Amino acid sequence: MWPKRMILPMFAVTLTLAGVSGGVHRASMPASAPGCNGPEFRQFDMFAGDWDGYDVSAPEKLVARIHVTPMAGGCALREVYEQNDGLLAESFSMYDAGRGVWHQSWVTNRGQLMMMEGHLEGDRMVLTATDKRPGKDATLLKSTWHKAGSGVSESAVRSKDGGKTWVPEFDMIFKPHTTS
């Protein structure tokens, strides 16, 4: 048993170490990590928004709802994609400063995972992935995003020969969402 005169000072030390007291010595606490403030971290900001997605070949037919929001203190973008045919997907995009590339991980409710990487080329974000689906040969998929008026355009091409030739996969326009 501790003498009563020792309990109160020990309790005060315990509260201070636990951060309960306002007198916590800040110099001993770890500094917060630097933010993602460089211009390379803002290269894909055009994608952030609340969008209605349309196929360019049928510009009046709504294909999907897309919500893209900053996350992780502005260091990444989170996309929630809801296609009218039941496809649900999410992606996380970020600039990997250590490797100097943009990375996007895309997952779907159909068990698909795609990891894309690339760079800003002029005013276009270009990301490429190896797409391997069950029972099919691996192909390359290259997606390109760019600002289009008040929206964003995303198109993709696919290559079955390692990038020698490409065929169109899709062409979408994301317009700001409007309530009907």
Side-chain angles (χ1 to χ4, degrees), residues 65-101:
R65 280 295 311 280
I66 304 98
H67 302 274
V68 183
T69 54
M71 59 178 271
C75 290
L77 294 172
R78 175 181 182 231
E79 172 188 15
V80 177
Y81 182 92
E82 300 174 68
Q83 198 164 285
N84 291 347
D85 67 0
L87 174 69
L88 300 175
E90 291 193 34
S91 76
F92 299 92
S93 302
M94 68 163 293
Y95 180 72
D96 182 345
R99 296 182 304 132
V101 299

Side-chain angles (χ1 to χ4, degrees), residues 29 47 61 71 86 148 163 167:
M29 297 180 73
F47 192 33
K61 184 180 176 192
M71 59 178 271
V167 295

Side-chain angles (χ1 to χ4, degrees), residues 50-54 62 64-66 173-179:
D50 185 15
W51 309 109
D52 290 327
Y54 299 88
L62 181 66
R65 280 295 311 280
I66 304 98
I173 186 76
F174 300 162
K175 299 177 183 177
H177 173 69
T178 58
T179 54

Side-chain angles (χ1 to χ4, degrees), residues 65-141:
R65 280 295 311 280
I66 304 98
H67 302 274
V68 183
T69 54
M71 59 178 271
C75 290
L77 294 172
R78 175 181 182 231
E79 172 188 15
V80 177
Y81 182 92
E82 300 174 68
Q83 198 164 285
N84 291 347
D85 67 0
L87 174 69
L88 300 175
E90 291 193 34
S91 76
F92 299 92
S93 302
M94 68 163 293
Y95 180 72
D96 182 345
R99 296 182 304 132
V101 299
W102 272 90
H103 173 87
Q104 182 180 87
S105 291
W106 167 267
V107 296
T108 74
N109 65 338
R110 296 178 182 166
Q112 296 168 301
L113 167 67
M114 188 177 323
M115 294 184 290
M116 307 184 82
E117 294 194 325
H119 299 91
L120 186 69
E121 297 179 9
D123 64 348
R124 296 170 187 267
M125 181 60 66
V126 181
L127 304 179
T128 304
T130 298
D131 188 15
K132 178 67 175 120
R133 298 183 185 185
K136 295 187 177 183
D137 291 334
T139 61
L140 291 178
L141 184 72

Side-chain angles (χ1 to χ4, degrees), residues 12-87:
V13 168
T14 302
L15 287 176
T16 300
L17 291 175
V20 174
S21 169
V24 174
H25 184 43
R26 299 285 177 208
S28 64
M29 297 180 73
S32 57
C36 303
N37 297 324
E40 59 277 3
F41 292 97
R42 306 281 67 86
Q43 292 172 339
F44 209 9
D45 282 0
M46 67 178 147
F47 192 33
D50 185 15
W51 309 109
D52 290 327
Y54 299 88
D55 187 311
V56 170
S57 67
E60 300 306 315
K61 184 180 176 192
L62 181 66
V63 173
R65 280 295 311 280
I66 304 98
H67 302 274
V68 183
T69 54
M71 59 178 271
C75 290
L77 294 172
R78 175 181 182 231
E79 172 188 15
V80 177
Y81 182 92
E82 300 174 68
Q83 198 164 285
N84 291 347
D85 67 0
L87 174 69

